[in-house]
Amino acid sequence: MAYFPENFVWGVSTSSYQIEGSVNADGRGKTIWDTFCENPQNIVDQSSGAVACEHYQRYPEDIRLMSELGAKAYRFSTAWSRVQPEGFGKVNQAGIDFYKRLVDSLLEHNIEPWLCLNHWDLPQGLENLGGWRNRETAFQFAEYAEIMGRNFGDRIPNFITHNEPNVVALLGHGWGRHAPGMQSAAAVMAVTHHLNLAHGLAVSKLRETVPDTKIGTVIVMHPVVDWENDPAGSARLDALSNRAFTDPALLGTYPQLLEAELAPFIQQGDLELIQQPLDFFGLNHYTTMRARSAQDTALGVEILQPPAEVPQTIKGWEINPEMLYQQLLELKNRYGNLPVYITESGCAAPDKLDSEGKVSDPERVAYFRDYLRAAARALEDGVNLKGYFAWSLMDNFEWAEGYTQRFGIVYVDFATQKRIPKDSFYSLKHIFQNNYL
Ligand code: IFM
């Protein structure tokens, strides 16, 4: 048996571009993902988030599902370009009103809203000025945070600055698999530092605007395994992905390995601005990483697929719950015992609607149970773990994989937009309601 405390926060996570659709509705501005999806080579099924789950219209039904699940919390992101269509200047009241309707409905259902300001969909207006490569974007982000604080501070108990900024830097600017599709080490360094600066500036703006609200950040951390096969590549991958955001935010330093490459972008006082006291740390965790030095690539390192004999999901991500346990202990030991929420955890599985209209997803049921057992063990061993958010409420636009990989606990029939809870939904419902498994 694995037990969780009475007040443990059980929730689900989503993000704006992956579920909302309605990309031209009510004054929303274009984002880098709208642009990236225009090139059919970028997305495996040539799709986009233009329609996605039609959450923009169907949010009341989605909230009813969360309520049926027994979720106490919902982590979602706001599309910056609905709030400021260009990313700067004019504020679009219709965009703010949409998120107010969403948040008010969550509160009516006793579901605590957790608002994330950046889950990758940067306004194209800012990209045209250099995007995250431009230091000025960090200051624009702080202005957007202030607008959100002023409008939502009375009803949002938890703000998150970024979701997985390390993925924006690496996949978006180093490996070119995500928007804006660049492959440049210098761009990765500039983006890394400017995202960190944006985080620090946004935290201090939010503290001024909404002093009673809790504020944190969310970073995806995957331990590098098989280190001995490529020590130099492993050290570089670990620094770029696991340390380049957590170290400055929580310790006020950059990994030594990256200092020279980052130096051109750092101004005096930046690290003090970045290291703001936080109320919580959000850990996204799914798998492990293996490194391969690759001098012919911009970053000089790539992520290797796990060997065939290693248990893995259809996405090729190793299933290794022990590494979640290790990751949580590492957070405690390296960064102090800050309250931690697992803000994403889940797996892609080959879900099919059966002839009775049901979806059985045993791989996902097992994944959640095994990873939750590992989380409970970390809790027993003193990790200040406060909550767990499953990724994701429903199947959605899985970025470069389009709609070919389903992560939801609710199946979405994209032809009809019908939502069908999978077996994993009912399994989590039992856990959420009983605090044990
Ligand atoms: O879908 C993504 C999410 O947007 C960020 N974290 C990982 C998920 C699965 O790939």
Side-chain angles (χ1 to χ4, degrees), residues 85-98:
E86 293 289 315
F88 53 87
K90 187 181 143 244
V91 174
N92 177 36
Q93 190 58 42
I96 292 186
D97 290 345
F98 164 64

Side-chain angles (χ1 to χ4, degrees), residues 35-75:
T35 307
F36 192 66
C37 294
E38 283 166 7
N39 180 344
Q41 286 174 351
N42 286 339
I43 312 295
V44 296
D45 58 1
Q46 289 87 49
S47 65
S48 75
V51 176
C53 308
E54 288 185 355
H55 175 76
Y56 193 76
Q57 290 83 17
R58 295 174 187 269
Y59 72 88
E61 181 184 353
D62 296 334
I63 293 174
R64 280 197 297 277
L65 281 165
M66 290 180 225
S67 182
E68 189 194 331
L69 174 70
K72 292 183 189 164
Y74 174 48
R75 186 186 73 116

Side-chain angles (χ1 to χ4, degrees), residues 259-315:
E259 272 173 359
E261 288 170 275
L262 285 162
F265 307 103
I266 303 175
Q267 294 185 11
Q268 200 171 6
D270 281 0
L271 281 157
E272 289 74 21
L273 288 174
I274 293 169
Q275 191 197 11
Q276 298 289 328
L278 295 179
D279 300 302
F280 63 88
F281 179 78
L283 171 70
N284 287 0
H285 179 98
Y286 293 86
T287 185
T288 57
M289 294 190 292
R290 291 171 171 78
R292 187 179 80 86
S293 294
Q295 295 318 327
D296 53 330
T297 63
L299 272 177
V301 67
E302 290 179 335
I303 298 179
L304 269 183
Q305 287 290 301
E309 66 275 14
V310 164
Q312 52 194 279
T313 70
I314 54 160
K315 203 174 168 69

Side-chain angles (χ1 to χ4, degrees), residues 18 119-120 163-164 286 315 317 344 391 398-399 407:
Q18 293 181 271
H119 197 124
W120 310 354
N163 177 76
E164 301 184 4
Y286 293 86
K315 203 174 168 69
W317 286 1
E344 283 185 26
W391 183 270
E398 177 56 13
W399 307 112
F407 271 89

